[in-house]
Amino acid sequence: MLKKVILYIFSFVLLFTSIGNAKDVFGIGIYMGAQHDVGNLNSYNPYIQIDPQNNLLLGFACKVNYLYFFGKTGVETTFLINRGEVEENSDEIEYVKIDYTSIPIFAGMSFPILSSAEFYMGGGFAYFLGRGEIKSSSSFYEDEIDTTAFGIGFILGISYIFPSSIRCYFEWKYLDGRSDQISQTQSSYNWQNYYVDFTGHRIFIGIMYYLI
């Protein structure tokens, strides 16, 4: 009997939430953010001293809500703030400059906070198209970076509901993804050892307008 009561209550909550949020089903928006330590130079040698690269991120997003579930995708691209430089203790890499465009796809669960906000969390993946330059210690010239990668990760976010179907949201993403080896950073090597590491934390703030 208790199980039936709990099931009925849970079903009612789902139905009530779906009716209350029927106008907030499909939204489009724009966002901006930043990523610290782009390229993760310490992943090649944890003992080197680096000045980490920082990137500005801009993106366009689409989000679909249904009951307690959501799906989100879009396109985001980065712009260099400062390149990543090795300050000491490396005989392989001097500096890197990495920009990329990514297509993230996430899905998960969302939870209403009273009637004015929403918390959501989930997992997903992203496809990266990377570009830039790497300067190795053994070369007089920069090598061009042009590569792709596939990554997986997590998303957490909270959005505040304004009138007229507008929401402002704050979001954190963590993605883990690396390209194949694309460059030889030391003349004594007879193999390519450098890969572009897209792994990292990303913080965003954005605005979304719900069409439906």
Side-chain angles (χ1 to χ4, degrees), residues 48-94:
I48 62 176
Q49 300 296 315
I50 65 170
D51 180 16
Q53 177 177 327
N54 295 284
N55 279 17
L56 175 70
L57 295 92
L58 299 176
F60 168 81
C62 299
K63 189 166 183 275
V64 176
N65 296 328
Y66 180 72
L67 298 178
Y68 283 104
F69 303 96
F70 79 91
K72 188 174 184 182
T73 186
V75 178
E76 64 189 39
T77 190
T78 68
F79 301 91
L80 183 73
I81 297 176
N82 68 280
R83 70 187 186 185
E85 297 189 8
V86 177
E87 297 179 340
E88 59 182 38
N89 298 335
S90 176
D91 59 355
E92 297 181 17
I93 299 173
E94 291 188 8

Side-chain angles (χ1 to χ4, degrees), residues 2-21:
L2 179 60
K3 291 183 178 180
K4 288 184 178 181
V5 172
I6 294 175
L7 180 60
Y8 290 151
I9 294 174
F10 183 68
S11 300
F12 176 80
V13 170
L14 287 178
L15 179 61
F16 180 82
T17 304
S18 65
I19 294 173
N21 294 333

Side-chain angles (χ1 to χ4, degrees), residues 41 43-45 90-93 134 136 138 143 178-197:
L41 286 177
S43 66
Y44 302 94
N45 184 346
S90 176
D91 59 355
E92 297 181 17
I93 299 173
I134 174 174
S136 62
S138 60
D143 292 330
R178 298 166 183 83
S179 72
D180 294 330
Q181 286 83 1
I182 60 171
S183 181
Q184 180 180 342
T185 63
Q186 184 58 259
S187 58
S188 61
Y189 298 161
N190 57 5
W191 65 88
Q192 294 178 327
N193 67 304
Y194 178 78
Y195 54 85
V196 179
D197 194 341

Side-chain angles (χ1 to χ4, degrees), residues 57-195:
L57 295 92
L58 299 176
F60 168 81
C62 299
K63 189 166 183 275
V64 176
N65 296 328
Y66 180 72
L67 298 178
Y68 283 104
F69 303 96
F70 79 91
K72 188 174 184 182
T73 186
V75 178
E76 64 189 39
T77 190
T78 68
F79 301 91
L80 183 73
I81 297 176
N82 68 280
R83 70 187 186 185
E85 297 189 8
V86 177
E87 297 179 340
E88 59 182 38
N89 298 335
S90 176
D91 59 355
E92 297 181 17
I93 299 173
E94 291 188 8
Y95 66 81
V96 295
K97 297 192 296 183
I98 300 170
D99 291 313
Y100 61 84
T101 298
S102 67
I103 304 174
I105 300 176
F106 288 95
M109 299 190 69
S110 60
F111 307 93
I113 303 175
L114 300 177
S115 59
S116 59
E118 172 197 32
F119 171 77
Y120 56 93
M121 60 187 296
F125 58 89
Y127 181 72
F128 298 95
L129 297 92
R131 56 199 176 272
E133 297 176 351
I134 174 174
K135 174 65 169 63
S136 62
S137 302
S138 60
S139 174
F140 292 103
Y141 306 100
E142 300 87 357
D143 292 330
E144 295 292 327
I145 294 173
D146 187 5
T147 188
T148 61
F150 180 84
I152 59 174
F154 306 94
I155 186 173
L156 291 174
I158 186 167
S159 64
Y160 182 80
I161 304 171
F162 289 95
S164 303
S165 299
I166 296 176
R167 294 191 183 189
C168 178
Y169 65 93
F170 178 78
E171 194 172 87
W172 165 81
K173 292 178 188 175
Y174 178 80
L175 286 163
D176 186 315
R178 298 166 183 83
S179 72
D180 294 330
Q181 286 83 1
I182 60 171
S183 181
Q184 180 180 342
T185 63
Q186 184 58 259
S187 58
S188 61
Y189 298 161
N190 57 5
W191 65 88
Q192 294 178 327
N193 67 304
Y194 178 78
Y195 54 85

